[in-house]
Amino acid sequence: MTARPLSRSAIFAQAWPIILGQTTVPLVGLADTVVIGRTGDAAALAGVALGTTVINFLFWTFGFLRMGMTGMTAQAQGADDEDEVRAMLIRGLVLGLAIGSALFVLQWLLIPAAFALLAGGEAIDASAKGYVAARFWGAPASLAVFAINGWLLGLGRTRAALVLQIVMNLINVVLDILFVWKLDMGAAGVGLGTALAEWSALVTGLVIAARVLGPGMARSIGERRKELFTRPALRRLFAVNANIMIRTVALLMMFAWFANAGARLGTVPLAANQVMMQFVSVSAFVLDGFAFTAESRIGGAIGRGSRDDYLRAIRLTGEFTLAAGLLFAGLFFTCGDAVIDMVTNNEAVRDQASALLPLTALVPLIGAPAWLFDGIFIGATRGASLRNAALVSTCAYILTDLALRPAGAQGVWIALLAGYGYRALALGCYLPALTRSIAQADRGA
C-alpha cells in the first residue's frame, strides 16, 4: 500500500484518475440540468437547483465521512499501521449507514424545515420537494459511499475510486434520461435516478474494498472486532470529524445562502444560477483532483514525520492546481456561451446566464487556492483550523452579499467570488503554524 515517491509524474499519476472521476460528478449534474432544461420548464429547472441545495446541505453535513476518512487513513498508511487502515473502513461504513438511515427516517421533519427557510415559491417548491423526497431513498448508500471513497483516496487508490465514481455516474445519467424523458417524472425522476445509482455504487464500493484488502480481510477484521470501536479510537474519530462537520455546515450555509439569493431574485435568475453553477462544479471537481492528492500526500508525510515530503507535496500539487485554474478560466471565457446554449433553450435563462459568464469564469482562478488549502488541512486532519476558517469566511461572505444586494444578480456572484478569497486567506493564516508543527515532528523522528 506504499505510495509512489513524490515527483510531478507521481502526483499526476495519482491525480488523473481522481480528475477523471471527479469530472463525471459535475457532468452528471450537467446532465441532470440538460435533461430538465431541454424540456423548457424553467420552474422544474429551478426546482432541481433548489432541491440540490437542500440535499447537498443535508448529506454533505456529514462530508467528514469522506474528508476525515482520507486524512486519517493516509496517516495510518504512512505509519505502516495496516490494522488501523482496515479498522478505518469498517468504522466509516457503519457510521455512514447509521447516519444515512437516520436521515431517511427523519425526512418527514427535515424536508418541511428546509423549505421553510428557502424563498422558492409554490411552483419551484413543488418540483424541489419531489426531487428531495426521492433522493432520501439513497441516503444510507450515499453516506456509506462517502466513507469508501475517502478510504480509497487516503490509500492513494485513485483508480479504484475512479471505477466507483464512473459506475455510479453512468447509472445515474441513464436512469435520469429514462425517468424524465421516457416516463415524464420531472424533477422527482432526477432524484430517484440518483438514489438508485447511489445504491449501485455502494455494492460496487464493497466489492472494490474487498479486492484492495485481499482474501484475509474478513478473518483479520473478525479477530480485531473488539478493537474497532474502542473509546480512544472513537474519541479521535469524533474529535477530528466534529470540527470538519462544523466546517462543512458553514460552507454549506454559504452555498445555501447563494441559492436563496438567486431564488429571491425570481425563477429566471435562479435557473440561470443553476446553469452557471455547472461551470463552477466542473472546475471545482477537477481541481479537487489535485486537492485530494494533496490530502493523501500530506497525510502520508505526517504519518512518516517527514517535513521534506510535506513541503514538496504542497509545492507540486500547488503548481498543478494554479495551472488548472488558469486553464479553466480561459476555457470559460472563450467557450461559455456555447455551453449555455446547449444546456437550456429558454431564451430568458440564456440571456441571464450569459450576462453572468465573466464573473463565473473567475471562480476557478480565485477558488484554486481555497481548494488546495482544503486538501492540505484535511490531509493534516487539522479540523480546528478548517472549522475556524470556514466560520470566518462564511460570515464575511454573508456580510458582503448583504452589502451588494442593490447590484442584483451581479452582486450575488461578486459576493461568491469574495467568499472563495476569504476562505483562502483564512486558511493561509494557519499554514505557518502547521508547517512548524511538521518541522518539530521531523526533528523528533
Side-chain angles (χ1 to χ4, degrees):
M1 291 186 182
T2 303
R4 291 177 60 183
L6 281 167
S7 65
R8 288 183 181 85
S9 61
I11 291 293
F12 188 74
Q14 186 173 344
W16 76 257
I18 307 174
I19 293 171
L20 187 56
Q22 288 292 98
T23 301
T24 65
V25 177
L27 288 179
V28 169
L30 181 60
D32 290 349
T33 303
V34 170
V35 167
I36 293 293
R38 297 302 296 182
T39 67
D41 188 343
L45 180 56
V48 171
L50 208 60
T52 300
T53 299
V54 172
I55 286 297
N56 284 346
F57 191 95
L58 293 173
F59 286 18
W60 274 103
T61 291
F62 307 99
F64 61 78
L65 289 165
R66 207 289 298 162
M67 292 174 281
M69 183 69 64
T70 299
M72 296 198 317
T73 300
Q75 290 181 23
Q77 182 193 35
D80 292 325
D81 189 348
E82 293 194 6
D83 287 338
E84 182 62 15
V85 167
R86 295 188 185 95
M88 285 301 306
L89 174 63
I90 302 304
R91 291 183 196 122
L93 281 171
V94 170
L95 197 56
L97 288 169
I99 295 172
S101 298
L103 286 176
F104 179 77
V105 171
L106 293 172
Q107 64 178 289
W108 64 272
L109 179 63
L110 296 172
I111 294 176
F115 282 96
L117 299 174
L118 297 173
E122 186 176 346
I124 296 174
D125 282 357
S127 292
K129 287 178 180 177
Y131 172 85
V132 171
R135 284 294 307 272
F136 266 101
W137 286 98
S142 180
L143 269 60
V145 169
F146 283 179
I148 294 174
N149 200 35
W151 182 77
L152 290 171
L153 293 174
L155 294 178
R157 297 277 186 157
T158 54
R159 296 188 185 188
L162 169 62
V163 171
L164 176 60
Q165 203 75 59
I166 287 177
V167 167
M168 180 169 67
N169 294 336
L170 284 177
I171 292 173
N172 192 359
V173 171
V174 171
L175 291 178
D176 283 355
I177 293 172
L178 172 65
F179 292 152
V180 177
W181 284 354
K182 297 296 184 182
L183 301 181
D184 197 27
M185 294 176 64
V190 174
L192 181 60
T194 303
L196 292 174
E198 286 165 340
W199 282 106
S200 301
L202 176 57
V203 173
T204 304
L206 291 173
V207 172
I208 291 172
R211 290 176 63 87
V212 169
L213 290 175
M217 175 187 69
R219 183 177 66 255
S220 174
I221 291 172
E223 292 170 353
R224 298 187 68 244
R225 61 184 181 275
K226 293 183 179 179
E227 302 173 31
L228 291 174
F229 299 99
T230 61
R231 186 171 296 177
L234 291 177
R235 186 183 300 117
R236 179 172 183 252
L237 183 70
F238 285 105
V240 171
N241 289 336
N243 284 324
I244 293 179
M245 181 176 178
I246 295 170
R247 167 259 183 201
T248 304
V249 170
L251 295 182
L252 288 171
M253 286 180 63
M254 174 176 162
F255 287 103
W257 185 282
F258 172 82
N260 201 43
R264 179 174 43 80
L265 294 174
T267 298
V268 170
L270 178 58
N273 281 357
Q274 171 68 0
V275 172
M276 301 317 294
M277 282 304 291
Q278 305 315 308
F279 289 81
V280 176
S281 294
V282 168
S283 58
F285 278 111
V286 171
L287 267 66
D288 269 348
F290 299 113
F292 290 177
T293 301
E295 291 177 25
S296 173
R297 292 293 183 166
I298 294 293
I302 290 174
R304 293 187 297 274
S306 173
R307 180 175 182 267
D308 289 342
D309 285 354
Y310 159 83
L311 291 174
R312 188 165 176 78
I314 292 176
R315 182 168 64 82
L316 294 180
T317 55
E319 289 175 2
F320 281 110
T321 300
L322 293 176
L326 283 167
L327 176 62
F328 273 106
L331 286 174
F332 292 169
F333 270 118
T334 56
C335 305
D337 283 318
V339 175
I340 292 169
D341 290 344
M342 179 194 73
V343 170
T344 180
N345 56 12
N346 184 296
E347 288 297 330
V349 174
R350 282 180 174 178
D351 291 343
Q352 180 74 47
S354 183
L356 296 171
L357 182 59
L359 292 172
T360 307
L362 292 174
V363 171
L365 193 57
I366 296 176
W371 295 322
L372 177 62
F373 281 144
D374 271 352
I376 293 168
F377 283 88
I378 288 169
T381 61
R382 293 301 178 105
S385 300
L386 288 161
R387 176 199 65 203
N388 295 342
L391 290 171
V392 168
S393 59
T394 297
C395 289
Y397 157 76
I398 291 173
L399 291 173
T400 303
D401 179 77
L402 291 172
L404 291 174
R405 281 194 173 179
Q410 305 287 336
V412 169
W413 279 86
I414 293 171
L416 181 66
L417 289 170
Y420 282 113
Y422 297 145
R423 197 160 109 222
L425 181 62
L427 284 172
C429 291
Y430 285 105
L431 190 62
L434 173 60
T435 302
R436 287 193 297 271
S437 72
I438 307 303
Q440 290 165 4
D442 193 33
R443 285 195 297 269

